[in-house]
């Protein structure tokens, strides 16, 4: 058997095992979290074909991708990866709320930062424009003790509140993994 064929067999077996475990979980929120739990250990043993087999929703893609980026960062810079602590600290989006199930508006995902230091990640209705991130610049400036040094950038646009919250959750989790704490301005969604 060729190396490529062996890799495909292994990927298929792992994907089947993961999909079987995934299908036994009842709530959508638990499924998203379990995919993250299954995906991170598997990333180390298999590569892109395993990742393809593990992607079940747009929100999961964001969470798995940002977590993998955080793990790669830690490998390069020597920080420890504590997914249990990160999962406890970063509040998961509530997929059972009326807003999560019904809201299909367009949202922006943004980062507020000073220099190369992240202050917080956030989401806002796209119809509000950039009002919300602009409102938070003053608190960022106060935190860093500067006048007018904080700024923001819009990173993504997502349809639906739940998709936007999962994107934000992924970014905050990755930050927590890399730094061992929440972004300083993340008051509600991170403990």
């Amino acid at each position: 058997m060729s190396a490529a064929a062996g890799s495909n067999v292994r990927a298929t077996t792992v994907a089947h095992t993961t999909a079987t475990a995934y299908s036994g979980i009842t709530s959508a929120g638990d499924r998203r979290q379990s995919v993250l739990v299954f995906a991170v250990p598997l990333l180390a043993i298999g590569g892109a074909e395993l990742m393809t087999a593990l992607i079940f929703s747009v929100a999961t893609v964001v969470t798995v991708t940002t977590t993998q980026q955080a793990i790669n960062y830690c490998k390069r810079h020597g920080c420890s990866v504590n997914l249990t602590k990160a999962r406890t600290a970063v509040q998961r989006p509530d997929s059972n709320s009326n807003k999560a199930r019904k809201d299909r508006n367009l949202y922006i995902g943004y980062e507020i930062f000073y220099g190369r230091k992240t202050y917080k990640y956030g989401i806002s209705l796209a119809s509000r424009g950039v009002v919300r991130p602009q409102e938070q610049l003053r608190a960022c400036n106060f935190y860093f003790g500067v006048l007018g040094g904080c700024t923001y950038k819009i990173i993504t646009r997502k349809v639906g509140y739940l998709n936007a919250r999962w994107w934000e959750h992924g970014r905050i989790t990755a930050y927590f993994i890399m730094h061992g704490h929440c972004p300083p301005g993340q008051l509600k969604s991170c403990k």
Side-chain angles (χ1 to χ4, degrees):
M1 182 183 319
S2 72
S7 176
N8 286 339
V9 169
R10 185 177 63 177
T12 303
T13 303
V14 172
H16 180 267
T17 303
T18 303
T20 302
Y22 177 84
S23 65
I25 298 168
T26 54
S27 79
D30 289 340
R31 285 183 184 151
R32 285 187 194 89
Q33 184 173 1
S34 67
V35 168
L36 179 61
V37 170
F38 287 122
V40 174
L42 295 175
L43 288 171
I45 63 170
E49 61 272 0
L50 290 176
M51 281 301 297
T52 303
L54 296 172
I55 305 307
F56 295 99
S57 72
V58 173
T60 302
V61 171
V62 171
T63 303
V64 170
T65 302
T66 53
T67 302
Q68 180 58 35
Q69 289 169 347
I71 291 169
N72 290 340
Y73 174 91
C74 285
K75 285 179 185 175
R76 286 191 309 272
H77 299 286
C79 54
S80 63
V81 178
N82 186 338
L83 291 177
T84 304
K85 191 174 177 184
R87 283 187 10 218
T88 302
V90 183
Q91 184 181 12
R92 291 177 48 220
D94 181 7
S95 58
N96 295 321
S97 72
N98 282 335
K99 186 173 187 176
R101 285 182 287 151
K102 296 178 181 179
D103 187 329
R104 298 292 175 247
N105 291 310
L106 182 63
Y107 285 81
I108 59 169
Y110 59 89
E111 176 186 12
I112 297 176
F113 56 94
Y114 171 68
R116 298 184 79 192
K117 298 175 185 174
T118 298
Y119 176 68
K120 75 169 293 199
Y121 294 100
I123 60 171
S124 179
L125 280 168
S127 61
R128 288 192 67 202
V130 294
V131 171
R132 188 163 183 182
Q134 285 175 342
E135 291 172 344
Q136 297 172 2
L137 291 178
R138 185 174 174 187
C140 175
N141 288 326
F142 181 77
Y143 176 81
F144 287 109
V146 297
L147 295 172
C150 290
T151 189
Y152 65 91
K153 65 180 172 183
I154 296 173
I155 300 172
T156 191
R157 297 183 193 304
K158 298 286 180 191
V159 175
Y161 175 76
L162 190 58
N163 281 337
R165 276 288 294 126
W166 275 109
W167 172 85
E168 181 184 35
H169 177 268
R171 289 293 184 139
I172 298 166
T173 301
Y175 182 97
F176 191 95
I177 290 168
M178 289 188 283
H179 301 283
H181 58 85
C182 302
Q186 217 71 54
L187 303 177
K188 292 184 180 177
S189 54
C190 198
K191 301 174 197 171

